[in-house]
Amino acid sequence: MLLSKSATPELPEDVILSVEDLEVSFAAGTKAQLRAVRGVSFQIARGETVALVGESGSGKSVTAMTIMRLTEYDGASITGGRVLMRLKNGKVADLAKLSDKRIEALRGADISIVFQDPMSSLNPVFTVGDQIAEAVIHHQEKTPEEARQIALNTLKLVRVPDAERRLDQYPHQLSGGMRQRVMIAIALACRPSLMILDEPTTALDVTIQAQILDLVRALQDEIGMSVLFITHDMGVVAEVADRVCVMLKGEIVEEGSVFDIFAKPKHAYTRALISAVPRLGSMADKDAPEKFPLLVFEPERALAEVTE
Ligand SMILES: Nc1ncnc2c1ncn2[C@@H]1O[C@H](COP(=O)(O)OP(=O)(O)O)[C@@H](O)[C@H]1O
Ligand SMILES: [Mg+2]
């Protein structure tokens, strides 16, 4: 039997997301196009955490936002590839080809995203409870009372202390860490099968960052969802990831289990990222704490090193 081109795409049973040869370009003036993502492919299994790591500007956010089909609002277009996702109803869809209406219905429900800066993502004039409830009412037929109950349960799920009282507070009344928990609660409200976290802890101090990473891990055990975790920090990767994709200049240059990436990194760029993480005990012979070494990386030099 001849399959027509519109045949439903297929995915292995345990795969939630399969990004295949994705290419995303921004229209740059009238002449050249900026290819921000070039031939990117990776898969995420059910319950798995994949870290997308790379320095600023390497194309991590564009990849994530394109999966959600949000980059098109910034003038980008998908110039190649597929984004296959197993939806909650069991069907597989190519997100790159869905109509605006269908992708809008999936955002928040099947797949959700948490950004770095919770203050600019939360609406200052609505209470925390209303903002979580809105996500529920938008996607599910719930009464306001039911939605409030779900909001309360979700705030408890993300370990917000005194959740009942927090429901009626406004974002400015919460600390940065609590706001990020609220963002995660909004993202979780409809129990998506995939949550994308784009540098969720970058703006937080280390103690709060560790708490949020703990939370993400615990939630994953409890809910069994898949996570795409974006970061530039290999220390964070070691904390959360099962598998790692290393991005450089719009391409994935190395992929492997978190163990293999740290134990035997192949690409010079991966090694440079790892060496930027201070080792335990490396300050032992120092009199005072030192500044964290900033990653200064010259991709051309490293690429030359690998090909030598
Ligand atoms: N709205 C935009 N318009 C034009 N170019 C963009 C836009 N957003 C991102 N880019 C370009 O895409 C590339 C990747 O950016 P991004 O995915 O944000 O990097 P990061 O890895 O830091 O998340 C960068 O070169 C950036 O300049
Ligand atoms: Mg980014």
Side-chain angles (χ1 to χ4, degrees):
M1 194 183 81
L2 211 64
L3 284 177
S4 75
K5 268 196 172 157
S6 59
T8 317
E10 290 188 4
L11 274 183
E13 197 50 48
D14 63 331
V15 173
I16 285 286
L17 183 84
S18 179
V19 174
E20 300 176 357
D21 222 0
L22 183 67
E23 183 171 303
V24 185
S25 305
F26 286 93
T30 48
K31 277 187 272 159
Q33 279 203 322
L34 173 72
R35 283 164 67 226
V37 172
R38 311 151 181 240
V40 160
S41 300
F42 63 93
Q43 294 195 334
I44 307 179
R46 206 181 291 280
E48 186 183 38
T49 297
V50 173
L52 200 54
V53 65
E55 69 192 345
S56 176
S58 55
K60 306 180 299 294
S61 294
V62 171
T63 301
M65 301 280 277
T66 302
I67 294 169
M68 300 282 288
R69 284 271 302 279
L70 290 168
T71 39
E72 53 208 66
Y73 298 101
D74 290 332
S77 44
I78 300 176
T79 41
R82 307 197 292 179
V83 181
L84 302 186
M85 178 160 183
R86 182 177 304 285
L87 306 179
K88 282 202 278 191
N89 65 13
K91 295 200 174 115
V92 174
D94 181 357
L95 304 186
K97 293 207 175 63
L98 289 186
S99 67
D100 289 354
K101 201 169 156 214
R102 282 199 62 206
I103 191 77
E104 205 273 331
L106 300 184
R107 282 186 207 124
D110 284 80
I111 176 170
S112 61
I113 188 161
V114 174
F115 296 106
Q116 175 178 331
D117 179 7
M119 207 48 201
S120 64
S121 309
L122 288 168
N123 191 327
V125 301
F126 291 104
T127 64
V128 163
D130 283 347
Q131 295 187 59
I132 306 172
E134 199 208 77
V136 176
I137 293 169
H138 186 75
H139 288 291
Q140 301 172 5
E141 284 173 22
K142 301 283 183 203
T143 64
E145 292 73 31
E146 287 167 332
R148 187 178 163 88
Q149 189 57 47
I150 293 172
L152 178 62
N153 292 345
T154 314
L155 270 191
K156 288 180 181 165
L157 185 69
V158 298
R159 282 74 159 167
V160 166
D162 211 357
E164 197 103 32
R165 188 171 59 91
R166 296 290 190 191
L167 272 185
D168 297 315
Q169 290 192 325
Y170 292 86
H172 74 268
Q173 295 177 278
L174 307 180
S175 67
M178 281 303 143
R179 280 186 216 128
Q180 196 54 300
R181 281 171 200 262
V182 170
M183 286 309 300
I184 295 173
I186 293 173
L188 284 175
C190 297
R191 302 293 187 270
S193 40
L194 174 67
M195 184 158 81
I196 302 176
L197 296 132
D198 190 348
E199 309 255 9
T201 59
T202 302
L204 304 173
D205 72 53
V206 279
T207 317
I208 308 297
Q209 167 169 330
Q211 290 171 4
I212 297 286
L213 296 180
D214 278 346
L215 174 67
V216 171
R217 271 195 312 243
L219 287 173
Q220 228 179 347
D221 287 345
E222 285 163 36
I223 314 176
M225 66 181 169
S226 306
V227 170
L228 178 62
F229 199 108
I230 295 177
T231 178
H232 62 275
D233 182 343
M234 288 303 264
V236 170
V237 170
E239 288 284 319
V240 293
D242 299 311
R243 224 147 42 76
V244 187
C245 296
V246 181
M247 265 191 106
L248 172 64
K249 290 183 156 187
E251 293 179 63
I252 291 182
V253 294
E254 182 163 0
E255 182 185 341
S257 71
V258 69
F259 180 81
D260 283 347
I261 288 284
F262 280 91
K264 36 186 174 186
K266 292 193 194 77
H267 200 285
Y269 180 55
T270 311
R271 290 199 289 272
L273 286 173
I274 293 171
S275 66
V277 182
R279 283 173 196 280
L280 197 63
S282 62
M283 296 293 175
D285 56 346
K286 305 276 173 17
D287 292 336
E290 286 186 355
K291 270 197 160 168
F292 202 86
L294 277 179
L295 177 59
V296 181
F297 182 73
E298 297 163 42
E300 277 77 16
R301 223 182 76 202
L303 285 172
E305 277 172 20
V306 238
T307 44
E308 261 166 21

